């Protein structure tokens, strides 16, 4: 039994034309599939980069807002002038909104949501344990000699401890990744 080896020259013209047309066409389909996959991957990456930038921008805005609250409170404690609590109060609203927005942005990341809840708790404790009592004390004493009571309270550094904890949590939130 003699088997004949098939040579390209023995293939019919119709099959050669079909092969010549289908080979580049199949390569084109493969390349199209790869291109679609690559474009989709790039779009998804771009979406995550944009998301990460939004989260980092919100975290920075929250930090600035909290610092402005502290500065407004300290300005009022030092001067006793009423315009100073206004930045404290407006920044308090901004901080609440920033925390809410950040929680929504990171809902897909439960550890980051928990961290935002810790940050919210720290700010709430600072407001109730440091800011509000000191502002009320300053309003009561006005410019009387008992300003030294306020100085003693401020010297304890309770507010600084809260803000150190706040800054540490914000840094952990930002550095943890989104």
């Amino acid at each position: 039994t003699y088997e004949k080896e098939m040579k390209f020259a023995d293939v019919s013209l119709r099959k050669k034309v079909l092969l010549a047309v289908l080979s580049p066409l199949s390569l084109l389909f493969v390349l199209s599939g790869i291109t679609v996959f690559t474009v989709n991957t790039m779009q998804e990456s771009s979406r995550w980069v944009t998301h990460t930038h939004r989260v980092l921008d919100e975290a920075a805005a929250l930090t600035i807002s909290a610092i402005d609250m502290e500065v407004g409170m300290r300005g009022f404690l030092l001067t006793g002038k009423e315009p100073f609590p206004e930045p404290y109060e407006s920044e308090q609203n901004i901080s609440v909104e920033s925390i809410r927005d950040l929680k929504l942005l990171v809902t897909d990341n439960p550890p980051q949501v928990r961290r935002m809840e810790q940050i919210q708790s720290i700010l709430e404790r600072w407001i109730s344990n440091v800011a509000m009592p000191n502002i009320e004390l300053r309003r009561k004493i006005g410019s009387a000699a008992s300003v030294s009571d306020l100085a003693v309270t401020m010297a304890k550094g309770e507010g600084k401890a809260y803000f150190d904890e706040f800054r540490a949590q914000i840094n952990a939130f930002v550095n943890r990744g989104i």
Side-chain angles (χ1 to χ4, degrees):
T1 65
Y2 173 73
E3 290 191 23
K4 192 174 178 184
E5 224 178 88
M6 186 156 190
K7 295 182 181 174
F8 189 69
D10 296 335
V11 177
S12 70
L13 182 61
R14 182 175 217 187
K15 288 183 180 178
K16 287 179 183 177
V17 169
L18 192 60
L19 186 63
V21 170
L22 291 180
S23 294
L25 200 55
S26 62
L27 184 58
L28 181 65
F29 283 131
V30 168
L31 289 176
S32 295
I34 291 170
T35 301
V36 167
F37 176 77
T38 303
V39 167
N40 287 339
T41 302
M42 288 172 52
Q43 286 176 334
E44 182 67 14
S45 295
S46 176
R47 187 181 72 76
W48 279 110
V49 167
T50 301
H51 170 77
T52 300
H53 282 287
R54 284 183 58 208
V55 170
L56 293 175
D57 289 347
E58 280 293 325
L62 174 59
T63 302
I64 290 167
S65 178
I67 290 169
D68 287 349
M69 284 173 49
E70 184 183 30
V71 168
M73 179 203 67
R74 288 179 180 270
F76 178 68
L77 296 179
L78 290 171
T79 66
K81 297 191 177 174
E82 282 299 325
F84 279 104
E86 188 261 306
Y88 160 81
E89 291 163 1
S90 67
E91 293 301 328
Q92 185 176 352
N93 293 333
I94 291 170
S95 294
V96 168
E97 290 172 16
S98 289
I99 289 170
R100 185 193 69 232
D101 292 346
L102 275 166
K103 281 183 186 178
L104 289 173
L105 282 173
V106 297
T107 55
D108 60 331
N109 189 337
Q112 291 294 66
V113 171
R114 284 191 297 279
R115 188 168 308 282
M116 284 313 306
E117 289 168 352
Q118 291 173 334
I119 290 167
Q120 182 177 9
S121 173
I122 292 165
L123 277 179
E124 288 170 351
R125 288 190 333 259
W126 176 79
I127 289 167
S128 64
N129 297 339
V130 177
M132 292 308 296
N134 285 334
I135 288 171
E136 289 306 312
L137 178 62
R138 182 63 167 118
R139 283 185 176 138
K140 285 179 187 173
I141 62 175
S143 59
S146 57
V147 170
S148 61
D149 293 339
L150 183 60
V152 168
T153 301
M154 293 303 294
K156 290 179 186 175
E158 291 173 350
K160 182 181 180 321
Y162 283 101
F163 266 84
D164 287 346
E165 187 179 359
F166 170 81
R167 286 182 188 98
Q169 289 296 327
I170 284 287
N171 285 336
F173 177 83
V174 168
N175 293 330
R176 163 86 90 217
I178 311 317

